[in-house]
């Protein structure tokens, strides 16, 4: 075929093509192995040399023209196919489901918020202390030197180079006292880490540390502060009691119990028939800790307390497996929606 014949014949064919498949076949018939333009190009070799440039140019112009036409047709067919698809599909907007479920604040965060509100309302600042800590802040400055038996109370994750995952928020006491001189009142809520894993212990859990340092602070002040807190959380009838205990960073140290909010002290399932529930550790800040932070223990005294947020949450929500707090089961979370602070 001559270029003129090809033009006359195929331009019209391209125009009339009705589907992408037909167009692909036509392109094969033109540009394929034995397509008409391919043949034409092949026939160039039979022409006398002086005619070759002009004939070659003609074929090339034809190829460019036909390719452009094919591209245009392809775009048209593609648009038409999309249009057909859009016209044939419908959206069912009547689906019988709420668009999204309403979330709930995690019970631990509800409790944390409630406690934080209480302490902030009583003049405490909220202090955020690092989770990756040095041995010094987590232990040594708190009067727990290397090899001290008290280290066995906490199975710590050491991560090398004197660094560890903090095992207690008490490290926040030291960090704050180094920076801020008394009088000071702070709480330090946050995650802590220990190699513990059973139904009441998780390797990651939450504590809230409290610290008050001023002149003439006594154990009575500690008791008053904790009594107010206990009444706020567990109800106005709540009583507290101190039992002697030991922590290296407080002297004297106490374990604090609250009267059972469920039975009022009679004995029930929640308090394991004792009438009391242990909620935190506390004490007067050890003179050595004050001195380690550059505070003169003859001039200032302080009290500190540390409570487990997961433990208080478990008590209040009456759950006995700590894993429930971590499993992210929405049915569990929904059950505690709207309780205590989730407003
Ligand atoms: N840091 C202690 C622990 O994790 C809890 C604690 C006890 C904190 C007594 C205190 C305190 O501030 O005075 O077991």
């Amino acid at each position: 075929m001559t270029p003129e014949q090809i033009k006359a014949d195929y331009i019209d064919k391209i125009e009339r093509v009705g589907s992408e498949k037909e167009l692909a076949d036509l392109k094969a018939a033109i540009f394929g192995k034995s397509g008409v333009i391919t043949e034409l190009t092949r026939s160039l070799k039979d022409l006398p040399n002086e005619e070759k440039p002009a004939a070659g140019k003609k074929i090339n112009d034809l190829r460019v023209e036909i390719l452009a036409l094919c591209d245009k047709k392809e775009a048209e067919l593609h648009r038409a196919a999309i249009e057909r698809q859009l016209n044939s599909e419908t959206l069912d907007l009547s689906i019988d489901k709420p668009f999204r479920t309403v979330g709930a604040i995690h019970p631990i965060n509800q409790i944390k918020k409630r406690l934080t509100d209480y302490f902030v309302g009583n003049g405490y600042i909220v202090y955020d202390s690092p989770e990756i800590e040095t041995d010094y802040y987590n232990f040594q400055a708190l009067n727990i030197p290397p090899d001290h038996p008290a280290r066995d109370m906490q199975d710590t994750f050491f991560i090398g180079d004197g660094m560890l995952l903090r095992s207690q928020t008490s490290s926040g006491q030291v960090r704050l006292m180094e920076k801020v001189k008394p009088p000071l009142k702070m709480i330090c809520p946050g995650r802590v880490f220990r190699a513990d894993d059973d139904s009441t212990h998780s390797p990651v859990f939450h504590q809230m540390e409290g610290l008050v340092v001023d002149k003439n602070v006594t154990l009575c002040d500690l008791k008053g502060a904790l009594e107010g807190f206990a009444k706020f959380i567990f109800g106005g009838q709540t009583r507290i009691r101190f039992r002697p205990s030991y922590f290296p960073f407080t002297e004297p140290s106490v374990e604090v119990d609250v009267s059972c909010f469920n039975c009022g002290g009679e004995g029930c399932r929640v308090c394991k028939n004792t009438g009391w529930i242990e909620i935190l550790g506390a004490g007067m800040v050890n003179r050595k800790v004050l001195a380690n932070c550059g505070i003169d223990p003859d001039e200032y005294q302080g009290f500190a307390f540390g409570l487990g947020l997961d433990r208080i949450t478990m008590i209040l929500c009456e759950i006995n497996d700590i894993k429930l707090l971590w499993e992210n089961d929405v049915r569990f979370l929904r059950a505690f929606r709207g309780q205590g602070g989730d407003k």
Side-chain angles (χ1 to χ4, degrees), residues 27-261:
K27 275 170 90 173
I30 303 170
F31 304 108
K33 227 172 173 188
S34 45
V36 285
I37 289 194
T38 317
E39 292 291 348
L40 201 59
T41 312
R42 210 170 281 142
S43 70
L44 268 178
K45 68 179 185 312
D46 303 327
L47 291 179
N49 274 349
E50 61 277 15
E51 289 179 24
K52 280 182 184 166
K57 180 172 183 315
K58 212 167 182 181
I59 297 173
N60 209 38
D61 289 348
L62 180 66
R63 183 200 318 275
V64 170
E65 187 183 352
I66 293 191
L67 267 178
L69 263 178
C70 287
D71 287 349
K72 189 170 150 247
K73 191 73 192 171
E74 199 165 306
E76 254 170 46
L77 290 170
H78 189 64
R79 255 199 314 277
I82 291 179
E83 204 122 301
R84 265 197 312 281
Q85 193 183 356
L86 285 177
N87 288 336
S88 69
E89 286 177 358
T90 49
L91 271 181
D92 181 1
L93 297 178
S94 67
I95 191 161
D96 180 23
K97 254 189 168 267
F99 280 113
R100 59 195 165 103
T101 48
V102 177
I105 295 176
H106 192 281
I108 293 181
N109 282 334
Q110 292 182 36
I111 298 298
K112 177 173 146 189
K113 181 173 183 299
R114 247 167 86 180
L115 300 196
T116 304
D117 280 354
Y118 174 79
F119 285 112
V120 168
N122 280 280
Y124 289 68
I125 60 159
V126 179
Y127 183 65
D128 201 14
S129 188
E131 291 179 346
I132 298 174
E133 209 21 301
T134 63
D135 193 285
Y136 176 77
Y137 285 105
N138 197 80
F139 289 126
Q140 293 168 40
L142 288 162
N143 194 32
I144 314 175
D147 302 322
H148 192 286
R151 289 197 177 213
D152 293 345
M153 291 158 80
Q154 305 176 357
D155 208 345
T156 309
F157 290 111
F158 290 94
I159 50 179
D161 282 342
M163 303 297 288
L164 45 80
L165 299 183
R166 70 173 171 196
S167 60
Q168 49 186 353
T169 45
S170 306
S171 49
Q173 289 186 25
V174 182
R175 285 193 175 268
L176 181 75
M177 282 192 283
E178 273 185 355
K179 284 202 243 339
V180 180
K181 292 305 145 201
L184 55 90
K185 288 170 95 173
M186 75 98 182
I187 50 165
C188 174
R191 289 196 295 185
V192 296
F193 308 85
R194 287 182 205 176
D196 264 346
D197 199 1
D198 59 35
S199 69
T200 52
H201 296 90
S202 153
V204 186
F205 58 107
H206 303 78
Q207 289 187 334
M208 185 180 279
E209 193 77 13
L211 175 72
V212 171
V213 183
D214 202 345
K215 290 182 174 156
N216 304 318
V217 174
T218 69
L219 199 66
C220 291
D221 296 312
L222 171 63
K223 193 158 190 197
L226 293 180
E227 208 160 56
F229 150 75
K231 286 185 193 304
F232 178 76
I233 292 296
F234 297 104
Q237 309 301 314
T238 309
R239 290 160 289 131
I240 65 168
R241 72 175 183 189
F242 282 3
R243 283 179 292 110
S245 185
Y246 172 76
F247 299 103
F249 35 88
T250 43
E251 179 60 35
S253 303
V254 292
E255 215 67 78
V256 182
D257 298 339
V258 293
S259 57
C260 179
F261 63 91

